[in-house]
Amino acid sequence: MLIPQFLKAWERPLIEGDRILVVLQLSGGNDGLNTIVPFTNDIYFQSRPKLALKPEKILKISDELGFNAALEKLRGIYDQGYMSVINNVGYPNPDRSHFRSMDIWQSANPKEYLNTGWVGRFLDANCDGVEHNAIEIDDTLSLALKGDQIKSMAMRDPARLYKATHSPMFKAMSENQPAHGADPIVSYLYKTAAETVSSASYIYNQTKTYSSTSQYPNTDLGGRLKTIGTLINSGVNTKIYYAALSGFDTHVNQIGQQERLLTQYADAVAALIQDLDAHGNLDRTVILTFSEFGRRVSENASGGTDHGTANNIFVFGKKLKQAGFLNSTPDLKSLDEGDLVYQVDFRSIYATLLNKWMNADPSKILGEDFPLLNFL
């Protein structure tokens, strides 16, 4: 198949030093207080007479904070200095709607409703002529990856994508050009089809040369992160990967549900980190984990917690300048109507990643300046 000139950029080989960002989204509002546990704080136990974790369910990491024992697989990674924890992360005037708060985190704008996300705007500003520099391991594309010019790509499996895009209809569209003067929408569809077919072929051919022998957990997230590990280790020249784990909206019977999800999360992330490290790719990869909000400090009457505000986020990598806990523990004495008060704007974390890891100008992508942090 002849490849149009505008697709040639996709064939750029991997350059040593190319950096990668993996974004993991915990959908539903993960309970940060039962994830990073302030086990010396009496208010924590008073506010959660049924939900506060028992000592045997806490891995003590510092004098004040411990991991939920479900994060056991991350303990060794933390001890190696490959993990940073930032507490009290949020934004002004927090919104407790899942949909709106997720839009805010993905668009990086609490004030306006946008049709573009922060990753998509990064691609628009920094990736001329390259349209699949970001891949979401899913069937649909999140707002975070949508730009004005570049829309990124969503897929679950390179082989399935290749097969789907080599159907007679796709091939016909990709191998032909619209008539001169055709409707712009028709031209856009032809161009998109050609890009998708070319990208699917490139990714499939790259991954055919590599077979992962790393052990990933047999879970949905384990499968998604194995795909990401395969794409990175096979040399696909993608800059940003995105994946999500759902189910953290724990209004009822939280303990068991959150424990299962955190175990799935920790086991899959640990497998990805070990896989990337074994192939020399952890040096050039940073992994960010966030949730759209935390939960309220006090438990509810249903054995769960309701929508809250500030939360903790995790950053993993081998090149962290500051590992461990970057800031103070959550202040349970000074709450805002029962919710934690944020101290770190999440856009400072994005700005730090964009500036110090992706070599981009954060103000052009985020619309204003935010203080940079020291974890990179």
Side-chain angles (χ1 to χ4, degrees):
M1 181 177 70
L2 294 175
I3 299 178
Q5 191 62 36
F6 65 86
L7 298 175
K8 290 292 185 182
W10 291 1
E11 298 180 344
R12 179 182 71 81
L14 188 69
I15 298 173
E16 186 175 356
D18 277 356
R19 288 174 169 176
I20 296 167
L21 174 64
V22 179
V23 182
L24 302 180
Q25 172 182 300
L26 305 183
S27 302
N30 178 42
D31 180 17
L33 282 177
N34 270 22
T35 302
I36 302 298
V37 185
F39 63 85
T40 62
N41 195 316
D42 291 339
I43 300 175
Y44 167 72
F45 294 96
Q46 293 163 5
S47 302
R48 299 182 168 206
K50 295 180 180 177
L51 280 187
L53 296 185
K54 307 297 183 189
E56 64 271 21
K57 292 289 187 180
I58 301 171
L59 303 174
K60 295 182 180 179
I61 302 297
S62 74
D63 292 338
E64 298 178 291
L65 296 171
F67 286 179
N68 185 313
L71 299 178
E72 182 180 5
K73 287 288 182 65
L74 299 182
R75 176 63 186 267
I77 291 167
Y78 180 92
D79 291 341
Q80 286 178 284
Y82 295 172
M83 178 179 183
S84 295
V85 179
I86 307 174
N87 292 309
N88 312 310
V89 181
Y91 55 88
N93 302 313
D95 196 305
R96 292 172 181 78
S97 159
H98 290 293
F99 303 105
R100 179 57 188 145
S101 193
M102 189 60 82
D103 273 359
I104 289 170
W105 275 82
Q106 293 195 3
S107 67
N109 191 322
K111 300 176 183 175
E112 301 176 72
Y113 289 81
L114 301 181
N115 294 320
T116 61
W118 70 283
V119 173
R121 296 196 297 275
F122 161 77
L123 299 177
D124 281 341
N126 296 276
C127 301
D128 292 344
V130 180
E131 298 209 3
H132 82 284
N133 259 322
I135 295 176
E136 180 164 6
I137 310 301
D138 209 325
D139 296 321
T140 58
L141 197 65
S142 295
L143 173 64
L145 286 81
K146 296 177 180 176
D148 275 328
Q149 304 298 321
I150 299 176
K151 304 299 183 186
S152 311
M153 167 176 284
M155 68 164 190
R156 296 294 295 265
D157 177 75
R160 283 171 51 193
L161 178 68
Y162 178 84
K163 184 177 180 181
T165 55
H166 283 70
S167 67
M169 181 194 75
F170 254 106
K171 288 193 69 174
M173 288 187 68
S174 65
E175 293 173 353
N176 292 283
Q177 297 294 315
H180 180 69
D183 186 291
I185 295 177
V186 173
S187 297
Y188 173 80
L189 290 175
Y190 272 91
K191 181 173 181 287
T192 300
E195 292 169 351
T196 303
V197 170
S198 182
S199 182
S201 297
Y202 164 72
I203 292 170
Y204 178 64
N205 288 325
Q206 282 292 117
T207 54
K208 276 200 309 183
T209 64
Y210 171 81
S211 179
S212 174
T213 58
S214 300
Q215 295 296 313
Y216 282 80
N218 186 26
T219 61
D220 181 71
L221 185 65
R224 293 177 194 235
L225 297 199
K226 183 176 183 179
T227 298
I228 291 176
T230 298
L231 293 169
I232 293 174
N233 289 332
S234 63
V236 170
N237 60 1
T238 292
K239 294 180 181 297
I240 299 179
Y241 295 93
Y242 203 96
L245 175 63
S246 301
F248 287 92
D249 195 16
T250 51
H251 291 281
V252 179
N253 299 329
Q254 174 177 300
I255 290 276
Q257 183 179 349
Q258 191 194 27
E259 182 176 319
R260 286 191 295 275
L261 290 168
L262 290 180
T263 299
Q264 184 180 163
Y265 162 75
D267 290 359
V269 170
L272 175 63
I273 289 173
Q274 290 162 6
D275 191 12
L276 296 179
D277 202 17
H279 290 85
N281 283 314
L282 189 58
D283 282 347
R284 63 189 190 94
T285 304
V286 162
I287 302 169
L288 167 72
T289 297
F290 78 96
S291 194
E292 70 266 35
F293 46 61
R295 317 295 294 189
R296 291 179 69 78
V297 172
S298 296
E299 65 186 31
N300 62 27
S302 302
T305 50
D306 298 323
H307 301 178
T309 53
N311 208 347
N312 37 54
I313 68 102
F314 304 149
V315 181
F316 301 92
K318 206 169 180 178
K319 297 291 187 181
L320 298 178
K321 282 188 177 178
Q322 188 179 355
F325 295 109
L326 266 63
N327 55 352
S328 60
T329 61
D331 184 353
L332 302 187
K333 291 182 179 177
S334 302
L335 302 179
D336 180 10
E337 298 182 349
D339 284 323
L340 296 173
V341 178
Y342 89 97
Q343 296 175 354
V344 178
D345 193 308
F346 74 93
R347 292 166 293 179
S348 277
I349 296 167
Y350 289 175
T352 304
L353 291 167
L354 290 166
N355 179 272
K356 296 185 178 182
W357 192 248
M358 306 305 288
N359 295 319
D361 182 347
S363 63
K364 290 183 178 178
I365 297 160
L366 303 177
E368 54 185 298
D369 293 322
F370 294 94
L372 302 182
L373 306 179
N374 295 322
F375 61 86
L376 287 173

